[in-house]
Amino acid sequence: MTVAAAAASGGVGVRRYALLLALNDSEYARKVYGGYGNVFVSALGGGGEEERWDCFRVIDGEFPAAEEVGRYEGFVVSGSPHDAYGDERWILRLCSLLRALHAMGKRILGICFGHQVLCRALGGRIGKARSGWNIGVKKMTFVRDFEGSKLFGDLKEIPQSASIIEVHQDEVLEVPPMGRVLAYSDKTPVEMFAVGDNVLGIQGHPEYTSDILLNLIDRLVNNNTITSGIGEEARRTVEASEPDRRFWTGLCKGFLKRPTAATTVDMPPREVAPKMMSCSHIIADGHFRKMIHL
């Protein structure tokens, strides 16, 4: 299995983040955005020369090398067409990596599939959504009695509710031990959860734009993954309202980039990320360079 290792570190003071991609690029994402990596970095990056993003396509077995893991301040796990409760080798390996990162105290953000697989890795329960497919621009409500302000850095206020793009038929059934539910919706009891101060899962897609959603709806209908009726209902939600994307990207940035005290951590077990075999592309300032295998 191929292992990707980030290129040599940037200058002193450069904050490094790792994007763990659990999906392959759609034709639309490649044509319009240059791939999902660019979608994520344009949504969550913005740190200029003081920030660097490295991308690892974990769905293809490309993981950070053991000697590089400790150098990242945060990790983002993307969505995926795969089931987070599956037993594919790369999913099991991803679970092992997430447990190691959590033990190291690393900042981890899980999106959709990432939200679910993070829950699984840390001891929670996931499965098919009890209400079936949930697709469209949907409103989630924030729990009012959680101590969430410290999670999101400079984000001053959490509204009562916010709209987000959703595309899922699986969900979190039970949060991990010591986890807490931060948001819910009429169809999904756990829309957002946290474990401690360094783990955050979001069922929706803060990074998605409405055009990405509409293209995805068309593809799901055309390949008979969802019915035309579900597709039409989802399109109506896009026509009726816009996702609160600026709020969501601000929340995610606040979580990933809030100041943290420097700590000394142990490296993860060797089996989590074997020795370097290839190098990954670097995503910096929104620019995405293709993977080069050595």
Side-chain angles (χ1 to χ4, degrees):
M1 181 174 286
T2 303
V3 180
S9 177
V12 176
V14 174
R15 299 186 301 275
R16 297 178 62 181
Y17 299 92
L19 174 59
L20 308 180
L21 281 173
L23 79 171
N24 293 309
D25 295 328
S26 68
E27 182 179 351
Y28 182 82
R30 285 195 302 270
K31 180 179 179 180
V32 177
Y33 295 97
Y36 286 119
N38 273 342
V39 174
F40 272 96
V41 174
S42 65
L44 305 182
E49 295 182 357
E50 297 180 353
E51 183 177 301
R52 195 182 98 177
W53 286 76
D54 297 336
C55 177
F56 302 91
R57 204 170 292 274
V58 295
I59 189 174
D60 293 330
E62 296 162 352
F63 283 74
E67 61 267 27
E68 294 289 336
V69 169
R71 300 176 184 178
Y72 290 102
E73 295 197 24
F75 294 77
V76 179
V77 189
S78 77
S80 176
H82 291 262
D83 297 324
Y85 45 80
D87 289 330
E88 290 93 332
R89 186 178 179 185
W90 70 271
I91 294 177
L92 298 179
R93 189 175 175 198
L94 177 58
C95 287
S96 295
L97 174 60
L98 294 175
R99 284 190 289 270
L101 295 175
H102 179 53
M104 296 169 71
K106 291 296 182 180
R107 205 76 52 82
I108 313 171
L109 171 63
I111 302 298
C112 196
F113 166 91
H115 161 87
Q116 298 160 14
V117 79
L118 186 54
C119 174
R120 173 189 180 179
L122 300 185
R125 288 197 310 116
I126 58 176
K128 286 294 182 187
R130 286 163 284 198
S131 57
W133 275 100
N134 190 15
I135 307 178
V137 179
K138 303 300 179 74
K139 181 178 290 187
M140 70 165 67
T141 301
F142 295 96
V143 176
R144 302 310 297 174
D145 58 354
F146 76 91
E147 297 179 1
S149 59
K150 295 180 180 179
L151 285 176
F152 307 123
D154 294 334
L155 192 66
K156 300 300 183 184
E157 183 177 352
I158 302 295
Q160 182 177 352
S161 63
S163 294
I164 193 169
I165 290 175
E166 304 247 14
V167 186
H168 66 99
Q169 63 171 337
D170 299 327
E171 67 183 8
V172 168
L173 303 176
E174 181 180 328
V175 298
M178 307 302 292
R180 58 199 191 276
V181 177
L182 303 184
Y184 60 91
S185 67
D186 57 349
K187 292 191 70 172
T188 306
V190 184
E191 287 279 7
M192 184 165 70
F193 76 90
V195 179
D197 293 333
N198 291 328
V199 170
L200 181 67
I202 301 174
Q203 180 58 74
H205 285 273
E207 82 285 7
Y208 271 12
T209 55
S210 294
D211 63 297
I212 292 176
L213 173 60
L214 289 171
N215 175 264
L216 180 53
I217 292 169
D218 289 343
R219 288 189 284 120
L220 292 174
V221 171
N222 290 339
N223 64 22
N224 296 315
T225 300
I226 61 174
T227 66
S228 58
I230 293 175
E232 284 302 319
E233 181 182 352
R235 291 187 191 97
R236 284 195 291 270
T237 68
V238 179
E239 296 170 358
S241 63
E242 287 284 332
D244 295 313
R245 191 169 184 264
R246 179 174 293 183
F247 164 77
W248 284 109
T249 56
L251 180 144
C252 292
K253 289 179 183 179
F255 170 75
L256 287 169
K257 303 176 186 184
R258 72 174 192 270
T260 183
T263 57
T264 301
V265 297
D266 296 328
M267 293 302 295
R270 186 175 297 275
E271 64 269 22
V272 171
K275 64 181 180 179
M276 179 174 64
M277 295 174 60
S278 65
C279 69
S280 77
H281 56 270
I282 300 172
I283 309 172
D285 300 329
H287 298 290
F288 197 99
R289 282 190 262 167
K290 292 183 178 179
M291 181 76 68
I292 301 175
H293 293 287
L294 300 180

